[in-house]
Amino acid sequence: MTTSTRTTVHRIATDSPADTRGLVQLIESNALDPATVVAVFGKTEGNGCVNDFTRGYATERLQNLFASHIGSDAARRIAMVMSGGTEGVISPHLTVICRERSAQPSAVDTQALAVGVARTPELAAHDIGRRAQIQAVATATAQALQQAGIDDPDDVHYVQVKCPLLTSQKIREAQTTGHAVATTDTYKSMGYSRGASALGVAVALGEIEAERAQDETVLEDMNCFSAVASASAGSELDYCEVIVIGNTLSASGDLYARHAVMQDAIDAEAVRQALAADAPGDRVVQLFAKAEADPSGEIRGRRHTMINDSDINHTRHARAVVGGVIAALAGDPTVYVSGGAEHQGPSGGGVIAAILSRG
Amino acid sequence: MTTSTRTTVHRIATDSPADTRGLVQLIESNALDPATVVAVFGKTEGNGCVNDFTRGYATERLQNLFASHIGSDAARRIAMVMSGGTEGVISPHLTVICRERSAQPSAVDTQALAVGVARTPELAAHDIGRRAQIQAVATATAQALQQAGIDDPDDVHYVQVKCPLLTSQKIREAQTTGHAVATTDTYKSMGYSRGASALGVAVALGEIEAERAQDETVLEDMNCFSAVASASAGSELDYCEVIVIGNTLSASGDLYARHAVMQDAIDAEAVRQALAADAPGDRVVQLFAKAEADPSGEIRGRRHTMINDSDINHTRHARAVVGGVIAALAGDPTVYVSGGAEHQGPSGGGVIAAILSRG
Amino acid sequence: MTTSTRTTVHRIATDSPADTRGLVQLIESNALDPATVVAVFGKTEGNGCVNDFTRGYATERLQNLFASHIGSDAARRIAMVMSGGTEGVISPHLTVICRERSAQPSAVDTQALAVGVARTPELAAHDIGRRAQIQAVATATAQALQQAGIDDPDDVHYVQVKCPLLTSQKIREAQTTGHAVATTDTYKSMGYSRGASALGVAVALGEIEAERAQDETVLEDMNCFSAVASASAGSELDYCEVIVIGNTLSASGDLYARHAVMQDAIDAEAVRQALAADAPGDRVVQLFAKAEADPSGEIRGRRHTMINDSDINHTRHARAVVGGVIAALAGDPTVYVSGGAEHQGPSGGGVIAAILSRG
Amino acid sequence: MTTSTRTTVHRIATDSPADTRGLVQLIESNALDPATVVAVFGKTEGNGCVNDFTRGYATERLQNLFASHIGSDAARRIAMVMSGGTEGVISPHLTVICRERSAQPSAVDTQALAVGVARTPELAAHDIGRRAQIQAVATATAQALQQAGIDDPDDVHYVQVKCPLLTSQKIREAQTTGHAVATTDTYKSMGYSRGASALGVAVALGEIEAERAQDETVLEDMNCFSAVASASAGSELDYCEVIVIGNTLSASGDLYARHAVMQDAIDAEAVRQALAADAPGDRVVQLFAKAEADPSGEIRGRRHTMINDSDINHTRHARAVVGGVIAALAGDPTVYVSGGAEHQGPSGGGVIAAILSRG
């Protein structure tokens, strides 16, 4: 191939959900071309639950910034995944992913990082957490894989889905029009939406058979899961956005992805595997992980108190733990850890993905 | 020496702050003689802050249990250190420390675990967080060292202090009698009390010079600290209780202590040092650590949000992180991690102590 | 009638969940005979949700105190209703209700306060929030009415039920033995248990027909409710306890009960009705009320944010509001307000009952 | 006088901190001229404490909206007072205050509503909560009075100050440049800033003598206070903004202001006074009040638990109570209640102001 796609990744610290100064600097110094941005991941310092407006605030600031550079239509095509909750040591930041055509041909035998993005249609409130959402996400995942130029599901190391939740207003509206929603508990709706999203990824990657992904599977059959999916729910969107990260021979550049599956929130061995580089001089550019309080109420056979805690939601506990464990082993607290890992990895665990740069 | 002291350590999972069943079983099966108990450490599942009644509830249950076996006077002499807050994966449990005279002589050249306990007089509300508390704790620490048979401060690996806090009632009473208290903020008083306690330990162990420990030192000069102190504040006592843990040649038994100093909440290297055994077959019996949100607002040069969080107190965030990091490296979430490390180790860090058993 | 029953009510401030000093003083000064106590209501300062151990702590202290006076069998027969959550101005306190035979005959034409207490058998985890619980509470309510000497349901002004909840341990045990529970969300199980309890009261008082009280009614058909029921869930018991408060001609004494139904959390008119005395000199001895965040997400046609708040549970918000409204109108913050009013009064509202003393 | 100023007030419900649709509708239907807007008060649904970004988010949305209509310079001159915290029944909303010259002469003997706005210079971090802030606010208050055309301090019914707080970044920067800040506790800095602001108002209105307003007065001498001041602290500004609301003969229109002083959080009588209209047909347009947990730890001689609560900040408890009490007596939960009443009214109490419309 005489040309290739090249994916670059910028990690930028933020001072608040409204802080875009670091990104502005990169753009103004020509280190980052806004026209090449395909996705932005952010950790914002809200509670990461229902009434977290830091996600929407950050998204709006970023969209306004990009719109001023590339126009609002192009800005809206950028996938924005703001994940609330920087419990413990997790440091608020943005990860900006850029993709461009490169004159440089791709290496014959070395894969490089590739990214693909797609979006589902708008979901009705009564479809959230149900089969309709699973199918919509599966379709979008397949589209994103194709865009990334990844043929083999084994080359996929991380699939992020940003998905909607049910607010009490949405629930009321659905009920008024005679539709039953998956749950009337707004906090719990986040879990339904994340779970259905992950099942959609699992279907698309062949991790589970399509017919296993039914309404009743969601939050019930926890043996159905995707080992690479990570879903975040937020009130600022009504559709699902899918971002596939993996490696492909058709890409060029120094970056590549890896992943491992944490079996529980303190699985140091999986973190070490994800951090393990292809070669000694390689360095970690960014880490992405899921966190969840083991729904069994136990971890390593010991009781934990996260689920029975009515003062702090268990997703907040779990992010603090997983963020701390990864930061300790990576030596860096600027990590993307998002909460609620329903059908995302084994129960109580979840994916940990790394993007590394060849020395 | 023809006889020796021998210290044993029992770690017992609990189902609630009121659960003493595991301890009862050990007593009834003669695995633990209540007459030999010198100290009980507990992690209870309250918020670990001002209005945490799980500490008092657990203490009362334990005292009633011991009183039924050894009488209430003897029960009252047992040092009870209930630390609230089992954020993240920390599993609620008790650590019971027993000491007895052993017919077995101590080894000539191998130190073994030793423990000593002492108590200050009752502290007035206006003495909390002040020089008077520092001096009282220094005196009690010296007494506990002597009781443990430890001469060299280098053989001390952990000094626990349980200390009082200021409630709004105590503050009102002090003000009525014309005494100024160190702070009128009940939550902040926990930090003052822990800080003064740690400075008392530092004075006793020669870590700082006695004249440096003044009213103004507390919560101000953070370069003054003890590398082995760990203090917990609670509303259930009006004095300070000091428990010294270390090694001495005059003790026998399989157990021994180690410690390292975590420079920050994600200091994996220090955790590894504390876990490192004298010999390959040795196993970890229990771990004790301090947790604190770095007061600088940064960790490894990155901003953290723990101190500005008005929903979750920063001590809770910090325990979740340190508990998670230690659990991940030790492979066990039943660890004793207590919050608020003022003058207990370097700013943002704290002691991590291990009790190990020779294979 | 030549003799009668006489019911007396003592309201006692507490300094902590463990504080029984006020009660001890009343007993030691012979102002209160422990042998006559039939029920104790308490407001304790925990979160009133799943991990609130202040209820259990207070209950244990009270039972130990009563056992030391009247023996542990008699102490266990006293109904203990500890309700957690003193949000806002609600002042922690105990309300002790005593009943004795009086040589004084009852008045021919004036009703006086009467109380009756009964208990259901232990409930299996899978019966909580289901028809089995409704029926068990209906039976116990009928027994309590008979004990109180109240024939006419219109003379009932308040029925308190204390009921169990599902912890993650109980859920696991039920699932292990092949039983489905009403919900696997521990916090939500409190609502199921309170709702089924209230429906049991409604059946017993003829407020709804027995056949309407099915599994599917609970938390679904909110038009089924009891106007006088108040239920509190706690982890410290496995059965339901029912306390009926009303007026009867067969009772003597100065006290009598009234009630009104708050249509929402700010129904000042209902509070005024409950406070309205039979005669000018009468004074309020104690108030009991239910609080709930309107599940519609609106109050008086305006949006409220209680249900979408992931930092503070909506029951806590609701208690703060209702406690404040009643305290403002009664001029006294020592009120018993408990949260979660499912099937207890109209949706968003609940009973407010008063015990008054004739001038 | 042949012309007059006329002040109008629009109260607009919001669906989220980002919701400006109601305001847009009023502008587009010509019911509200954006060029006449002098101030916007908002209740937004954050925690109202340090890490509340809903205030900044709402402010930004409003400024963008106004800028699109009247240009960004004019938009920046509008006083924006976003107060976080809609605990309990408080319904999120905006209150937009407009002022225009009217051809209609003012009535000879009837006062009408008037408003004046002024702003202090930017405050250094070390001036927050100190005498420099008091003096700056006093100067701005005098300017706002003059702008409103109010000569007699007795005609002032409400003075809102929006003031900055200390974040950990600001504290670090101050310390780096050798300046001591009033407190290093970010949450507590909100109280210092509110207190100094209120003392500034008190000085300007002659409620206290200028020389009493020293550094040491702030949060210490609680007998120094303004009966009409209400201050809110936020991280989204570095100066103080002052809005004076009162009555004057030089204004025309149907609106007028009243106020009363709540002696504590449940002072129903003061609420009734504020609601009392000049004439039977008058109706309440909006209410403004301060809320505070009585720092004595008691209310009406009874203990409250708000200050010792480490799970929920006491300002949140207090807003829930005062919001509930006012909503119950006014029959409307769309009220502006802001927390933290240091030097704003008597200790534990605060101003309640009403704007009414003549029938």
Side-chain angles (χ1 to χ4, degrees), chain D residues 262-338:
Chain D
M262 293 177 76
Q263 298 300 316
D264 60 25
I266 54 173
D267 187 351
E269 187 48 37
V271 179
R272 283 191 201 102
Q273 280 173 30
L275 290 170
D278 281 4
D282 297 359
R283 68 181 177 77
V284 174
V285 172
Q286 180 57 310
L287 290 161
F288 302 90
K290 282 308 297 190
E292 145 171 285
D294 198 304
S296 72
E298 296 195 347
I299 182 164
R300 305 272 169 112
R302 303 291 183 182
R303 181 170 75 100
H304 67 74
T305 61
M306 297 186 263
I307 293 172
N308 284 347
D309 189 342
S310 304
D311 296 312
I312 303 177
N313 264 308
H314 55 79
T315 46
R316 308 202 72 182
H317 281 287
R319 273 191 298 267
V321 171
V322 174
V325 170
I326 296 175
L329 293 171
D332 188 339
T334 314
V335 292
Y336 180 92
V337 176
S338 87

Side-chain angles (χ1 to χ4, degrees), chain A residues 312-354:
Chain A
I312 301 177
N313 263 310
H314 54 79
T315 48
R316 308 202 71 183
H317 281 287
R319 274 191 298 267
V321 171
V322 174
V325 170
I326 296 175
L329 293 171
D332 187 338
T334 314
V335 291
Y336 180 92
V337 176
S338 88
E342 305 84 354
H343 302 290
Q344 302 150 66
S347 191
V351 66
I352 172 161

Side-chain angles (χ1 to χ4, degrees), chain A residues 91-336:
Chain A
S91 191
H93 69 280
L94 301 171
T95 303
V96 182
I97 301 185
C98 302
R99 184 181 58 199
E100 51 192 325
R101 293 277 348 143
S102 167
Q104 182 192 345
S106 57
V108 176
D109 54 0
T110 310
Q111 290 187 324
L113 187 69
V115 64
V117 175
R119 189 175 285 189
T120 70
E122 203 165 296
L123 292 173
H126 60 272
D127 285 337
I128 292 177
R130 296 248 169 80
R131 190 159 170 267
Q133 186 179 4
I134 300 175
Q135 292 180 319
V137 171
T139 303
T141 303
Q143 293 165 348
L145 274 169
Q146 193 172 12
Q147 193 190 75
I150 300 175
D151 303 319
D152 186 346
D154 285 353
D155 290 331
V156 175
H157 293 285
Y158 188 69
V159 181
Q160 176 71 46
V161 186
K162 184 78 191 179
C163 53
L165 56 83
L166 292 170
T167 58
S168 37
Q169 291 99 302
K170 276 193 190 181
I171 294 168
R172 259 201 319 280
E173 286 163 24
Q175 289 170 337
T176 311
T177 56
H179 290 98
V181 291
T183 174
T184 56
D185 181 323
T186 56
Y187 179 70
K188 198 154 192 177
S189 79
M190 302 177 80
Y192 272 96
S193 185
R194 289 187 298 251
S197 296
L199 289 171
V201 174
V203 166
L205 299 182
E207 297 178 287
I208 64 169
E209 288 156 27
E211 55 266 34
R212 285 185 69 189
Q214 304 297 333
D215 284 4
E216 310 78 63
T217 313
V218 184
L219 302 194
E220 290 296 333
D221 182 357
M222 301 320 262
N223 292 322
C224 284
F225 62 83
S226 166
V228 293
S230 166
S232 293
S235 57
E236 69 278 15
L237 78 178
D238 292 315
Y239 50 88
C240 295
E241 191 136 49
V242 177
I243 307 168
V244 166
I245 292 176
N247 300 325
T248 176
L249 280 175
S250 62
S252 64
D254 293 335
L255 302 183
Y256 64 99
R258 295 179 55 89
H259 85 276
V261 180
M262 293 177 76
Q263 297 301 314
D264 61 24
I266 54 173
D267 186 352
E269 188 47 37
V271 179
R272 283 190 201 102
Q273 280 173 31
L275 290 170
D278 281 3
D282 297 359
R283 69 180 176 78
V284 174
V285 173
Q286 180 57 312
L287 291 161
F288 301 90
K290 281 309 296 189
E292 143 171 288
D294 197 304
S296 73
E298 296 195 345
I299 182 163
R300 306 271 169 113
R302 303 291 182 180
R303 181 171 74 102
H304 68 73
T305 61
M306 297 187 262
I307 292 172
N308 284 348
D309 189 342
S310 304
D311 296 313
I312 301 177
N313 263 310
H314 54 79
T315 48
R316 308 202 71 183
H317 281 287
R319 274 191 298 267
V321 171
V322 174
V325 170
I326 296 175
L329 293 171
D332 187 338
T334 314
V335 291
Y336 180 92

Side-chain angles (χ1 to χ4, degrees), chain B residues 49-51 172 296 308 310 313, chain D residues 50-51 172 186 296 310 313:
Chain B
C49 301
V50 177
N51 61 327
R172 260 202 318 282
S296 73
N308 284 348
S310 304
N313 265 310
Chain D
V50 177
N51 62 329
R172 263 203 315 281
T186 57
S296 72
S310 304
N313 264 308

Side-chain angles (χ1 to χ4, degrees), chain C residues 187-231:
Chain C
Y187 179 69
K188 198 154 191 176
S189 78
M190 302 176 80
Y192 272 97
S193 185
R194 288 187 299 252
S197 296
L199 289 171
V201 174
V203 167
L205 299 183
E207 297 178 287
I208 62 169
E209 288 157 26
E211 56 266 35
R212 287 186 68 190
Q214 304 298 332
D215 283 5
E216 310 80 57
T217 312
V218 183
L219 300 195
E220 291 296 333
D221 182 357
M222 300 319 261
N223 292 320
C224 283
F225 62 82
S226 167
V228 293
S230 166

Side-chain angles (χ1 to χ4, degrees), chain A residues 47 49-51 167-169 172 183-188 296-298 303 307-311 313 316, chain C residues 47 49-51 167-169 172 183-188 296-298 303 307-311 313 316:
Chain A
N47 61 25
C49 302
V50 177
N51 61 329
T167 58
S168 37
Q169 291 99 302
R172 259 201 319 280
T183 174
T184 56
D185 181 323
T186 56
Y187 179 70
K188 198 154 192 177
S296 73
E298 296 195 345
R303 181 171 74 102
I307 292 172
N308 284 348
D309 189 342
S310 304
D311 296 313
N313 263 310
R316 308 202 71 183
Chain C
N47 62 24
C49 301
V50 177
N51 62 327
T167 58
S168 38
Q169 292 99 302
R172 260 202 318 281
T183 175
T184 56
D185 181 324
T186 56
Y187 179 69
K188 198 154 191 176
S296 74
E298 296 195 346
R303 181 171 74 101
I307 292 172
N308 284 348
D309 190 343
S310 304
D311 296 312
N313 264 309
R316 308 201 71 183

Side-chain angles (χ1 to χ4, degrees), chain D residues 131-179:
Chain D
R131 191 160 168 266
Q133 185 179 7
I134 300 175
Q135 291 179 321
V137 171
T139 302
T141 304
Q143 293 165 349
L145 274 169
Q146 194 173 11
Q147 192 191 76
I150 299 175
D151 303 319
D152 185 346
D154 285 353
D155 289 332
V156 175
H157 293 285
Y158 188 69
V159 181
Q160 176 70 47
V161 187
K162 185 77 193 179
C163 53
L165 56 82
L166 293 170
T167 57
S168 38
Q169 293 97 304
K170 277 193 190 181
I171 294 168
R172 263 203 315 281
E173 287 164 22
Q175 288 170 338
T176 312
T177 56
H179 290 98

Side-chain angles (χ1 to χ4, degrees), chain D residues 12 35 64 91-92 101 104 107 116 152 165 182 229 237 251 271 273 308 349 355:
Chain D
I12 305 162
N64 288 347
S91 190
R101 291 290 331 153
Q104 183 193 345
D152 185 346
L165 56 82
L237 78 179
V271 179
Q273 280 173 30
N308 284 347
I355 295 178

